[in-house]
Amino acid sequence: MGVRMNLMEPFETALDFQTGVLRPAGRIIKRHLSDMRGMYADANAERKVFESEGDRLIYEVHAVDLPEKTGLVLYCTTIIHPGRIGAEYHMTKGHFHEKRDRSELYLGLAGEGYLLLQADDGTVRGLPMARGTMAYVPPLWAHRTANTDDEPFAFLAVWPGDAGHDYGTIEQSGFAKLLVDGEQRVNLVDNPNYGLITRTT
Ligand code: M6P
Ligand code: ZN
């Protein structure tokens, strides 16, 4: 169990810029491949990972434990471990905000990655992220991050307390583009499963 902060008292958190770890530890969420079934385009590659190594840890969220309340600022770090499922880089589930008009700010801490953004009409934008990159997630855009390097990719996220996470839309339809390893290093390619129900459990 992590430490729950008192929202009416000043407090400080120590952020390790190399690892993205926050102290004191708040809520830590570990997302494994089984938490993302059907989200990677290559179902065979996903199955092979399960068969050869079991349930791989893909990413961790280290959140300062504060209530999701209007007027509060929430923050957490995300650490995406390096690796691919098929050609697709390890990534987060991705979400819209329940309150769609809420925005968010990311700050790259360590490693290299990409922020993938998707509007309601399927328009996709990709922003490369590295240490020191501040990436703005506008209202109305779904967002997902991926680790495009061989080291852990860590970033800090800050967002309004009442934004909420809507995972359902992405679980149903996916992103229109995939981030895959290619000759030019990072490629953004069409997702053959976009718009289909991709989640199997
Ligand atoms: C960022 C923020 C968090 C989010 C996390 C993991 O740190 O956007 O709100 O929880 O990434 O992404 P997801 O929730 O989509 O798995
Ligand atoms: Zn968000």
Side-chain angles (χ1 to χ4, degrees):
M1 269 283 284
V3 177
R4 169 147 259 216
M5 297 321 224
N6 179 346
L7 76 159
M8 300 309 283
E9 293 290 332
F11 64 82
E12 63 185 44
T13 314
L15 165 60
D16 184 328
F17 278 58
Q18 297 306 318
T19 63
V21 169
L22 294 173
R23 294 271 179 257
R27 229 165 5 97
I28 298 179
I29 301 161
K30 297 197 175 187
R31 292 238 163 89
H32 295 81
L33 190 54
S34 62
D35 298 312
M36 307 180 72
R37 277 184 202 276
M39 288 192 154
Y40 289 94
D42 188 340
N44 274 335
E46 182 184 301
R47 187 174 40 76
K48 278 185 189 145
V49 171
F50 277 118
E51 282 170 5
S52 61
E53 61 185 89
D55 198 4
R56 186 192 285 180
L57 177 62
I58 307 287
Y59 66 103
E60 306 174 32
V61 178
H62 293 232
V64 173
D65 198 1
L66 285 165
E68 297 196 356
K69 265 173 77 102
T70 306
L72 294 191
V73 168
L74 302 183
Y75 62 103
C76 73
T77 56
T78 299
I79 303 157
I80 308 178
H81 297 288
R84 294 184 300 274
I85 306 296
E88 210 174 351
Y89 293 108
H90 279 183
M91 62 186 182
T92 60
K93 291 170 71 158
H95 59 272
F96 282 97
H97 290 150
E98 264 168 42
K99 288 201 164 81
R100 294 284 176 115
D101 64 352
R102 300 304 195 254
S103 61
E104 188 160 351
L105 186 63
Y106 284 175
L107 169 65
L109 300 171
E112 287 178 26
Y114 250 80
L115 167 60
L116 208 57
L117 299 133
Q118 177 159 300
D120 254 343
D121 66 358
T123 305
V124 172
R125 294 275 304 275
L127 299 179
M129 285 186 67
R131 181 182 176 81
T133 306
M134 293 184 75
Y136 171 67
V137 178
L140 306 177
W141 289 72
H143 34 292
R144 159 179 285 167
T145 42
N147 183 342
T148 54
D149 200 18
D150 301 326
E151 303 291 325
F153 169 51
F155 64 96
L156 174 74
V158 184
W159 70 98
D162 62 354
H165 292 75
D166 164 18
Y167 291 106
T169 311
I170 297 301
E171 282 174 357
Q172 294 290 309
S173 305
F175 272 69
K177 302 274 183 189
L178 311 175
L179 273 171
V180 298
D181 192 10
E183 272 171 29
Q184 295 164 312
R185 193 70 191 137
V186 179
N187 287 339
L188 209 53
V189 301
D190 286 342
N191 179 1
N193 297 329
Y194 179 57
L196 305 173
I197 296 177
T198 54
R199 199 167 166 84
T200 53
T201 55

mmCIF file with all atom_site columns, all heavy atoms in Angstrom, residues 81-98:
data_model
loop_
_atom_site.group_PDB
_atom_site.id
_atom_site.type_symbol
_atom_site.label_atom_id
_atom_site.label_alt_id
_atom_site.label_comp_id
_atom_site.label_asym_id
_atom_site.label_entity_id
_atom_site.label_seq_id
_atom_site.pdbx_PDB_ins_code
_atom_site.Cartn_x
_atom_site.Cartn_y
_atom_site.Cartn_z
_atom_site.occupancy
_atom_site.B_iso_or_equiv
_atom_site.pdbx_formal_charge
_atom_site.auth_seq_id
_atom_site.auth_comp_id
_atom_site.auth_asym_id
_atom_site.auth_atom_id
_atom_site.pdbx_PDB_model_num
ATOM 1   N N   . HIS A 1 81 ? 8.574   -0.171 -20.186 1.00 0.00 ? 81 HIS A N   1
ATOM 2   C CA  . HIS A 1 81 ? 9.766   -1.003 -20.369 1.00 0.00 ? 81 HIS A CA  1
ATOM 3   C C   . HIS A 1 81 ? 10.013  -1.228 -21.863 1.00 0.00 ? 81 HIS A C   1
ATOM 4   O O   . HIS A 1 81 ? 9.059   -1.254 -22.647 1.00 0.00 ? 81 HIS A O   1
ATOM 5   C CB  . HIS A 1 81 ? 9.603   -2.311 -19.601 1.00 0.00 ? 81 HIS A CB  1
ATOM 6   C CG  . HIS A 1 81 ? 9.503   -2.079 -18.131 1.00 0.00 ? 81 HIS A CG  1
ATOM 7   N ND1 . HIS A 1 81 ? 10.580  -1.693 -17.362 1.00 0.00 ? 81 HIS A ND1 1
ATOM 8   C CD2 . HIS A 1 81 ? 8.438   -2.091 -17.284 1.00 0.00 ? 81 HIS A CD2 1
ATOM 9   C CE1 . HIS A 1 81 ? 10.197  -1.506 -16.113 1.00 0.00 ? 81 HIS A CE1 1
ATOM 10  N NE2 . HIS A 1 81 ? 8.894   -1.741 -16.034 1.00 0.00 ? 81 HIS A NE2 1
ATOM 11  N N   . PRO A 1 82 ? 11.288  -1.379 -22.245 1.00 0.00 ? 82 PRO A N   1
ATOM 12  C CA  . PRO A 1 82 ? 11.567  -1.519 -23.678 1.00 0.00 ? 82 PRO A CA  1
ATOM 13  C C   . PRO A 1 82 ? 11.101  -2.871 -24.209 1.00 0.00 ? 82 PRO A C   1
ATOM 14  O O   . PRO A 1 82 ? 11.072  -3.854 -23.466 1.00 0.00 ? 82 PRO A O   1
ATOM 15  C CB  . PRO A 1 82 ? 13.098  -1.394 -23.748 1.00 0.00 ? 82 PRO A CB  1
ATOM 16  C CG  . PRO A 1 82 ? 13.591  -1.744 -22.386 1.00 0.00 ? 82 PRO A CG  1
ATOM 17  C CD  . PRO A 1 82 ? 12.501  -1.392 -21.418 1.00 0.00 ? 82 PRO A CD  1
ATOM 18  N N   . GLY A 1 83 ? 10.755  -2.912 -25.462 1.00 0.00 ? 83 GLY A N   1
ATOM 19  C CA  . GLY A 1 83 ? 10.372  -4.180 -26.085 1.00 0.00 ? 83 GLY A CA  1
ATOM 20  C C   . GLY A 1 83 ? 9.322   -3.962 -27.155 1.00 0.00 ? 83 GLY A C   1
ATOM 21  O O   . GLY A 1 83 ? 8.811   -2.844 -27.346 1.00 0.00 ? 83 GLY A O   1
ATOM 22  N N   . ARG A 1 84 ? 9.013   -5.031 -27.864 1.00 0.00 ? 84 ARG A N   1
ATOM 23  C CA  . ARG A 1 84 ? 8.008   -4.975 -28.932 1.00 0.00 ? 84 ARG A CA  1
ATOM 24  C C   . ARG A 1 84 ? 7.130   -6.214 -28.859 1.00 0.00 ? 84 ARG A C   1
ATOM 25  O O   . ARG A 1 84 ? 7.542   -7.268 -28.381 1.00 0.00 ? 84 ARG A O   1
ATOM 26  C CB  . ARG A 1 84 ? 8.683   -4.906 -30.294 1.00 0.00 ? 84 ARG A CB  1
ATOM 27  C CG  . ARG A 1 84 ? 9.456   -3.648 -30.538 1.00 0.00 ? 84 ARG A CG  1
ATOM 28  C CD  . ARG A 1 84 ? 10.011  -3.619 -31.961 1.00 0.00 ? 84 ARG A CD  1
ATOM 29  N NE  . ARG A 1 84 ? 10.912  -4.734 -32.218 1.00 0.00 ? 84 ARG A NE  1
ATOM 30  C CZ  . ARG A 1 84 ? 12.203  -4.711 -31.921 1.00 0.00 ? 84 ARG A CZ  1
ATOM 31  N NH1 . ARG A 1 84 ? 12.747  -3.645 -31.380 1.00 0.00 ? 84 ARG A NH1 1
ATOM 32  N NH2 . ARG A 1 84 ? 12.949  -5.760 -32.184 1.00 0.00 ? 84 ARG A NH2 1
ATOM 33  N N   . ILE A 1 85 ? 5.926   -6.076 -29.358 1.00 0.00 ? 85 ILE A N   1
ATOM 34  C CA  . ILE A 1 85 ? 5.057   -7.223 -29.611 1.00 0.00 ? 85 ILE A CA  1
ATOM 35  C C   . ILE A 1 85 ? 4.951   -7.279 -31.129 1.00 0.00 ? 85 ILE A C   1
ATOM 36  O O   . ILE A 1 85 ? 4.290   -6.433 -31.734 1.00 0.00 ? 85 ILE A O   1
ATOM 37  C CB  . ILE A 1 85 ? 3.661   -7.047 -28.961 1.00 0.00 ? 85 ILE A CB  1
ATOM 38  C CG1 . ILE A 1 85 ? 3.782   -6.730 -27.451 1.00 0.00 ? 85 ILE A CG1 1
ATOM 39  C CG2 . ILE A 1 85 ? 2.806   -8.288 -29.212 1.00 0.00 ? 85 ILE A CG2 1
ATOM 40  C CD1 . ILE A 1 85 ? 4.395   -7.847 -26.604 1.00 0.00 ? 85 ILE A CD1 1
ATOM 41  N N   . GLY A 1 86 ? 5.638   -8.244 -31.740 1.00 0.00 ? 86 GLY A N   1
ATOM 42  C CA  . GLY A 1 86 ? 5.804   -8.192 -33.193 1.00 0.00 ? 86 GLY A CA  1
ATOM 43  C C   . GLY A 1 86 ? 6.679   -6.985 -33.500 1.00 0.00 ? 86 GLY A C   1
ATOM 44  O O   . GLY A 1 86 ? 7.722   -6.793 -32.888 1.00 0.00 ? 86 GLY A O   1
ATOM 45  N N   . ALA A 1 87 ? 6.228   -6.149 -34.430 1.00 0.00 ? 87 ALA A N   1
ATOM 46  C CA  . ALA A 1 87 ? 6.998   -4.951 -34.769 1.00 0.00 ? 87 ALA A CA  1
ATOM 47  C C   . ALA A 1 87 ? 6.560   -3.742 -33.945 1.00 0.00 ? 87 ALA A C   1
ATOM 48  O O   . ALA A 1 87 ? 7.174   -2.676 -34.012 1.00 0.00 ? 87 ALA A O   1
ATOM 49  C CB  . ALA A 1 87 ? 6.820   -4.638 -36.250 1.00 0.00 ? 87 ALA A CB  1
ATOM 50  N N   . GLU A 1 88 ? 5.500   -3.909 -33.176 1.00 0.00 ? 88 GLU A N   1
ATOM 51  C CA  . GLU A 1 88 ? 4.895   -2.766 -32.477 1.00 0.00 ? 88 GLU A CA  1
ATOM 52  C C   . GLU A 1 88 ? 5.572   -2.530 -31.123 1.00 0.00 ? 88 GLU A C   1
ATOM 53  O O   . GLU A 1 88 ? 5.732   -3.449 -30.317 1.00 0.00 ? 88 GLU A O   1
ATOM 54  C CB  . GLU A 1 88 ? 3.406   -3.076 -32.267 1.00 0.00 ? 88 GLU A CB  1
ATOM 55  C CG  . GLU A 1 88 ? 2.515   -1.870 -32.243 1.00 0.00 ? 88 GLU A CG  1
ATOM 56  C CD  . GLU A 1 88 ? 1.041   -2.287 -32.191 1.00 0.00 ? 88 GLU A CD  1
ATOM 57  O OE1 . GLU A 1 88 ? 0.729   -3.485 -32.339 1.00 0.00 ? 88 GLU A OE1 1
ATOM 58  O OE2 . GLU A 1 88 ? 0.214   -1.398 -31.982 1.00 0.00 ? 88 GLU A OE2 1
ATOM 59  N N   . TYR A 1 89 ? 5.910   -1.293 -30.887 1.00 0.00 ? 89 TYR A N   1
ATOM 60  C CA  . TYR A 1 89 ? 6.606   -0.951 -29.644 1.00 0.00 ? 89 TYR A CA  1
ATOM 61  C C   . TYR A 1 89 ? 5.694   -1.104 -28.431 1.00 0.00 ? 89 TYR A C   1
ATOM 62  O O   . TYR A 1 89 ? 4.485   -0.871 -28.521 1.00 0.00 ? 89 TYR A O   1
ATOM 63  C CB  . TYR A 1 89 ? 7.083   0.502  -29.700 1.00 0.00 ? 89 TYR A CB  1
ATOM 64  C CG  . TYR A 1 89 ? 8.162   0.761  -30.724 1.00 0.00 ? 89 TYR A CG  1
ATOM 65  C CD1 . TYR A 1 89 ? 7.878   1.474  -31.880 1.00 0.00 ? 89 TYR A CD1 1
ATOM 66  C CD2 . TYR A 1 89 ? 9.465   0.309  -30.519 1.00 0.00 ? 89 TYR A CD2 1
ATOM 67  C CE1 . TYR A 1 89 ? 8.866   1.730  -32.821 1.00 0.00 ? 89 TYR A CE1 1
ATOM 68  C CE2 . TYR A 1 89 ? 10.456  0.557  -31.458 1.00 0.00 ? 89 TYR A CE2 1
ATOM 69  C CZ  . TYR A 1 89 ? 10.141  1.264  -32.604 1.00 0.00 ? 89 TYR A CZ  1
ATOM 70  O OH  . TYR A 1 89 ? 11.120  1.504  -33.529 1.00 0.00 ? 89 TYR A OH  1
ATOM 71  N N   . HIS A 1 90 ? 6.287   -1.444 -27.296 1.00 0.00 ? 90 HIS A N   1
ATOM 72  C CA  . HIS A 1 90 ? 5.544   -1.445 -26.033 1.00 0.00 ? 90 HIS A CA  1
ATOM 73  C C   . HIS A 1 90 ? 4.867   -0.092 -25.845 1.00 0.00 ? 90 HIS A C   1
ATOM 74  O O   . HIS A 1 90 ? 5.488   0.944  -26.064 1.00 0.00 ? 90 HIS A O   1
ATOM 75  C CB  . HIS A 1 90 ? 6.492   -1.684 -24.859 1.00 0.00 ? 90 HIS A CB  1
ATOM 76  C CG  . HIS A 1 90 ? 6.843   -3.121 -24.654 1.00 0.00 ? 90 HIS A CG  1
ATOM 77  N ND1 . HIS A 1 90 ? 7.639   -3.539 -23.613 1.00 0.00 ? 90 HIS A ND1 1
ATOM 78  C CD2 . HIS A 1 90 ? 6.496   -4.238 -25.347 1.00 0.00 ? 90 HIS A CD2 1
ATOM 79  C CE1 . HIS A 1 90 ? 7.767   -4.860 -23.661 1.00 0.00 ? 90 HIS A CE1 1
ATOM 80  N NE2 . HIS A 1 90 ? 7.097   -5.306 -24.711 1.00 0.00 ? 90 HIS A NE2 1
ATOM 81  N N   . MET A 1 91 ? 3.625   -0.133 -25.397 1.00 0.00 ? 91 MET A N   1
ATOM 82  C CA  . MET A 1 91 ? 2.833   1.104  -25.324 1.00 0.00 ? 91 MET A CA  1
ATOM 83  C C   . MET A 1 91 ? 1.847   1.029  -24.160 1.00 0.00 ? 91 MET A C   1
ATOM 84  O O   . MET A 1 91 ? 1.643   -0.038 -23.568 1.00 0.00 ? 91 MET A O   1
ATOM 85  C CB  . MET A 1 91 ? 2.061   1.282  -26.636 1.00 0.00 ? 91 MET A CB  1
ATOM 86  C CG  . MET A 1 91 ? 1.077   0.141  -26.873 1.00 0.00 ? 91 MET A CG  1
ATOM 87  S SD  . MET A 1 91 ? 0.291   0.267  -28.498 1.00 0.00 ? 91 MET A SD  1
ATOM 88  C CE  . MET A 1 91 ? -0.829  -1.150 -28.419 1.00 0.00 ? 91 MET A CE  1
ATOM 89  N N   . THR A 1 92 ? 1.241   2.161  -23.859 1.00 0.00 ? 92 THR A N   1
ATOM 90  C CA  . THR A 1 92 ? 0.176   2.207  -22.856 1.00 0.00 ? 92 THR A CA  1
ATOM 91  C C   . THR A 1 92 ? -1.158  1.851  -23.523 1.00 0.00 ? 92 THR A C   1
ATOM 92  O O   . THR A 1 92 ? -1.253  1.830  -24.753 1.00 0.00 ? 92 THR A O   1
ATOM 93  C CB  . THR A 1 92 ? 0.055   3.611  -22.228 1.00 0.00 ? 92 THR A CB  1
ATOM 94  O OG1 . THR A 1 92 ? -0.254  4.556  -23.264 1.00 0.00 ? 92 THR A OG1 1
ATOM 95  C CG2 . THR A 1 92 ? 1.346   4.009  -21.536 1.00 0.00 ? 92 THR A CG2 1
ATOM 96  N N   . LYS A 1 93 ? -2.175  1.589  -22.687 1.00 0.00 ? 93 LYS A N   1
ATOM 97  C CA  . LYS A 1 93 ? -3.499  1.298  -23.246 1.00 0.00 ? 93 LYS A CA  1
ATOM 98  C C   . LYS A 1 93 ? -4.014  2.494  -24.055 1.00 0.00 ? 93 LYS A C   1
ATOM 99  O O   . LYS A 1 93 ? -4.536  2.344  -25.142 1.00 0.00 ? 93 LYS A O   1
ATOM 100 C CB  . LYS A 1 93 ? -4.489  1.009  -22.111 1.00 0.00 ? 93 LYS A CB  1
ATOM 101 C CG  . LYS A 1 93 ? -4.209  -0.303 -21.405 1.00 0.00 ? 93 LYS A CG  1
ATOM 102 C CD  . LYS A 1 93 ? -5.032  -0.452 -20.137 1.00 0.00 ? 93 LYS A CD  1
ATOM 103 C CE  . LYS A 1 93 ? -6.484  -0.683 -20.456 1.00 0.00 ? 93 LYS A CE  1
ATOM 104 N NZ  . LYS A 1 93 ? -7.196  -1.337 -19.329 1.00 0.00 ? 93 LYS A NZ  1
ATOM 105 N N   . GLY A 1 94 ? -3.869  3.675  -23.492 1.00 0.00 ? 94 GLY A N   1
ATOM 106 C CA  . GLY A 1 94 ? -4.370  4.885  -24.143 1.00 0.00 ? 94 GLY A CA  1
ATOM 107 C C   . GLY A 1 94 ? -5.807  5.150  -23.739 1.00 0.00 ? 94 GLY A C   1
ATOM 108 O O   . GLY A 1 94 ? -6.573  4.225  -23.472 1.00 0.00 ? 94 GLY A O   1
ATOM 109 N N   . HIS A 1 95 ? -6.146  6.409  -23.689 1.00 0.00 ? 95 HIS A N   1
ATOM 110 C CA  . HIS A 1 95 ? -7.494  6.783  -23.238 1.00 0.00 ? 95 HIS A CA  1
ATOM 111 C C   . HIS A 1 95 ? -7.890  8.162  -23.746 1.00 0.00 ? 95 HIS A C   1
ATOM 112 O O   . HIS A 1 95 ? -7.037  8.981  -24.077 1.00 0.00 ? 95 HIS A O   1
ATOM 113 C CB  . HIS A 1 95 ? -7.543  6.773  -21.702 1.00 0.00 ? 95 HIS A CB  1
ATOM 114 C CG  . HIS A 1 95 ? -6.559  7.726  -21.066 1.00 0.00 ? 95 HIS A CG  1
ATOM 115 N ND1 . HIS A 1 95 ? -5.263  7.365  -20.765 1.00 0.00 ? 95 HIS A ND1 1
ATOM 116 C CD2 . HIS A 1 95 ? -6.678  9.029  -20.692 1.00 0.00 ? 95 HIS A CD2 1
ATOM 117 C CE1 . HIS A 1 95 ? -4.630  8.403  -20.237 1.00 0.00 ? 95 HIS A CE1 1
ATOM 118 N NE2 . HIS A 1 95 ? -5.473  9.427  -20.189 1.00 0.00 ? 95 HIS A NE2 1
ATOM 119 N N   . PHE A 1 96 ? -9.209  8.387  -23.803 1.00 0.00 ? 96 PHE A N   1
ATOM 120 C CA  . PHE A 1 96 ? -9.765  9.740  -23.847 1.00 0.00 ? 96 PHE A CA  1
ATOM 121 C C   . PHE A 1 96 ? -10.008 10.150 -22.398 1.00 0.00 ? 96 PHE A C   1
ATOM 122 O O   . PHE A 1 96 ? -10.054 9.287  -21.506 1.00 0.00 ? 96 PHE A O   1
ATOM 123 C CB  . PHE A 1 96 ? -11.123 9.758  -24.560 1.00 0.00 ? 96 PHE A CB  1
ATOM 124 C CG  . PHE A 1 96 ? -11.060 9.701  -26.056 1.00 0.00 ? 96 PHE A CG  1
ATOM 125 C CD1 . PHE A 1 96 ? -11.223 8.496  -26.719 1.00 0.00 ? 96 PHE A CD1 1
ATOM 126 C CD2 . PHE A 1 96 ? -10.883 10.852 -26.805 1.00 0.00 ? 96 PHE A CD2 1
ATOM 127 C CE1 . PHE A 1 96 ? -11.188 8.426  -28.112 1.00 0.00 ? 96 PHE A CE1 1
ATOM 128 C CE2 . PHE A 1 96 ? -10.851 10.801 -28.196 1.00 0.00 ? 96 PHE A CE2 1
ATOM 129 C CZ  . PHE A 1 96 ? -11.004 9.592  -28.848 1.00 0.00 ? 96 PHE A CZ  1
ATOM 130 N N   . HIS A 1 97 ? -10.205 11.415 -22.151 1.00 0.00 ? 97 HIS A N   1
ATOM 131 C CA  . HIS A 1 97 ? -10.691 11.819 -20.833 1.00 0.00 ? 97 HIS A CA  1
ATOM 132 C C   . HIS A 1 97 ? -12.210 11.695 -20.811 1.00 0.00 ? 97 HIS A C   1
ATOM 133 O O   . HIS A 1 97 ? -12.877 11.963 -21.819 1.00 0.00 ? 97 HIS A O   1
ATOM 134 C CB  . HIS A 1 97 ? -10.247 13.251 -20.502 1.00 0.00 ? 97 HIS A CB  1
ATOM 135 C CG  . HIS A 1 97 ? -8.768  13.326 -20.255 1.00 0.00 ? 97 HIS A CG  1
ATOM 136 N ND1 . HIS A 1 97 ? -8.006  14.428 -20.526 1.00 0.00 ? 97 HIS A ND1 1
ATOM 137 C CD2 . HIS A 1 97 ? -7.907  12.377 -19.768 1.00 0.00 ? 97 HIS A CD2 1
ATOM 138 C CE1 . HIS A 1 97 ? -6.746  14.173 -20.210 1.00 0.00 ? 97 HIS A CE1 1
ATOM 139 N NE2 . HIS A 1 97 ? -6.655  12.930 -19.755 1.00 0.00 ? 97 HIS A NE2 1
ATOM 140 N N   . GLU A 1 98 ? -12.730 11.239 -19.652 1.00 0.00 ? 98 GLU A N   1
ATOM 141 C CA  . GLU A 1 98 ? -14.188 11.149 -19.527 1.00 0.00 ? 98 GLU A CA  1
ATOM 142 C C   . GLU A 1 98 ? -14.800 12.520 -19.790 1.00 0.00 ? 98 GLU A C   1
ATOM 143 O O   . GLU A 1 98 ? -15.778 12.643 -20.504 1.00 0.00 ? 98 GLU A O   1
ATOM 144 C CB  . GLU A 1 98 ? -14.559 10.688 -18.116 1.00 0.00 ? 98 GLU A CB  1
ATOM 145 C CG  . GLU A 1 98 ? -14.797 9.207  -18.008 1.00 0.00 ? 98 GLU A CG  1
ATOM 146 C CD  . GLU A 1 98 ? -14.869 8.773  -16.563 1.00 0.00 ? 98 GLU A CD  1
ATOM 147 O OE1 . GLU A 1 98 ? -15.488 9.482  -15.745 1.00 0.00 ? 98 GLU A OE1 1
ATOM 148 O OE2 . GLU A 1 98 ? -14.270 7.730  -16.268 1.00 0.00 ? 98 GLU A OE2 1
#
